[in-house]
Amino acid sequence: MAYENAGKLPIMDRRRFILMTVAAVSTAKIPSAMAQTQGVTDKVIQLGGVFALSGPVRLITEPYEQAARAYFDKINKAGGVKGRQIEWLIEDDAYQPAKALAGAKKLVERDGVFLLFGSVGTPTTVAISTYAERADIPFFSLNPTPETLKTTFALTPNYFSQIYFVTKHVVDKLGKKRVAYFYQNDDLGEAGRKGFEKALRESGLEPVADVGYERGTNDFSTYVLRLKDSNADAVVSMSTAGATATAIKQAKSAGYGPLWVAGAGGSSVSMPKLLGDDVNGVVFANEVESAFSDVPAVQEFRKDLLDRFPGATVDWGALVGYVHAAMMVEILNAATELTREGVIAAANSGQPLEVGLMPPVTYTEEKHIGANGVRIFEWRDGKTVPISAWHTISYD
């Protein structure tokens, strides 16, 4: 599968994928309760995930969890990783950083998992990554942290890249000139702000409104009125999919209908579920193919997911869960030894991981965000369709 403008990374069939060994990274000694072979036996590799099993964010995390499990089950049926079955334990963080931290500690210090795999949400990921860094635990998160950490590896691009490219598209390609920023007032909102401001600055524009809300807000009517008063013709939303959809509904009730723009969360199935036909026209950036695509890799993903979970939601959340699990399996297989240092060394090798659903993923010691490309999509007739080529992400 070719990706236009996705950089010079080679496309490799994952069945031929080989990671070259590299020198093990130096790590501080850790307590014996966190021994390097913890969570690994001759039969099992035990992973631990922390994300919302309850609350509104479950609209995203349930498809993510199901698709990742579907992939792990597929691998286990084929013999597992190095002859071992993957077990995945999960703790509920209810999208709360304090609970995310407590869940990670329980998984490592009480349940004895080998490493941490699976986290959805910027504030919760930041909480877990701080602990993982201190304890020298490999942590494979979905979302990136604001800074590069030695033991944390993110799959999806930073929000700077997502929001930068999608804002550039609506300004330069769609001709929007009065653009507002609507955001969750925490790490999530701040993560996209620089990309938003840079895109406008390059086009000689300034935001017409800056409207933040607190996490957990359900009534956006006051915020919508502020956006309406700004006369913004496009609103870039750095929010959860549920919050974006609710704001769109409440804006329509107030007689306000700008172009709504989002990061990858804008592709969640919760958008059409909450909005119906009003989802059409929403524009978003994404790092993976459309879940509605007919390319072979997406067809394989849909089959694996629905064979394991009939009636499961087929959307962005599921796609990234499937990709994330595939990436984890590739790294475990590539590790020359199943120790935490061995896994970190395998991830840091710089060799591309090609799973056919996004531009090849790469990590190095300096680059711990795997995604290398972003594409712009639009909701049309209840499906997501690409409206741009792949843009190469620069992490310089």
Side-chain angles (χ1 to χ4, degrees), residues 111-289:
D111 297 330
V113 300
F114 176 46
L115 56 80
L116 294 169
F117 166 84
S119 172
V120 181
T122 299
T124 49
T125 294
V126 169
I128 297 169
S129 66
T130 301
Y131 167 72
E133 188 78 0
R134 186 173 66 250
D136 272 339
I137 308 295
F139 172 34
F140 293 88
S141 64
L142 186 63
N143 305 102
T145 61
E147 58 182 326
T148 298
L149 299 173
K150 183 180 68 174
T151 66
T152 297
F153 298 83
L155 175 66
T156 61
N158 55 30
Y159 290 121
F160 172 94
S161 298
Q162 291 183 25
I163 298 303
Y164 169 78
F165 283 116
V166 77
T167 302
K168 286 286 287 182
H169 187 88
V170 301
V171 170
D172 296 346
K173 302 297 184 181
L174 303 183
K176 302 300 181 181
K177 302 302 179 186
R178 296 186 58 82
V179 188
Y181 190 53
F182 173 69
Y183 60 96
Q184 185 169 287
N185 191 21
D186 59 9
D187 292 328
L188 178 64
E190 289 307 307
R193 181 183 299 280
K194 290 182 180 179
F196 171 76
E197 292 177 345
K198 183 175 188 290
L200 290 190
R201 188 167 57 248
E202 289 178 354
S203 299
L205 302 175
E206 292 185 358
V208 297
D210 184 276
V211 179
Y213 68 90
E214 298 306 314
R215 181 164 16 109
T217 297
N218 294 312
D219 182 0
F220 297 96
S221 55
T222 300
Y223 308 105
V224 163
L225 288 177
R226 288 172 58 190
L227 292 169
K228 184 179 181 181
D229 288 343
S230 75
N231 199 29
D233 56 10
V235 176
V236 176
S237 178
M238 192 68 259
S239 313
T240 64
T244 299
T246 303
I248 292 172
K249 287 175 64 177
Q250 294 179 359
K252 184 179 180 181
S253 296
Y256 178 49
L259 172 67
W260 286 87
V261 184
S267 66
S268 169
V269 75
S270 61
M271 297 289 285
K273 281 184 176 180
L274 293 171
L275 290 172
D277 289 343
D278 290 335
V279 75
N280 293 321
V282 173
V283 173
F284 61 91
N286 209 345
E287 68 283 342
V288 292
E289 286 282 4

Side-chain angles (χ1 to χ4, degrees), residues 62-71 74 298-315 317-319 322:
E62 184 175 34
Y64 169 85
E65 177 190 356
Q66 289 177 332
R69 285 200 183 282
Y71 191 86
K74 178 180 180 178
V298 177
Q299 291 179 339
E300 180 182 358
F301 144 73
R302 285 197 296 257
K303 182 180 185 303
D304 290 343
L305 173 61
L306 296 175
D307 282 352
R308 177 64 176 83
F309 296 98
T313 297
V314 179
D315 75 339
L319 251 174
Y322 189 88

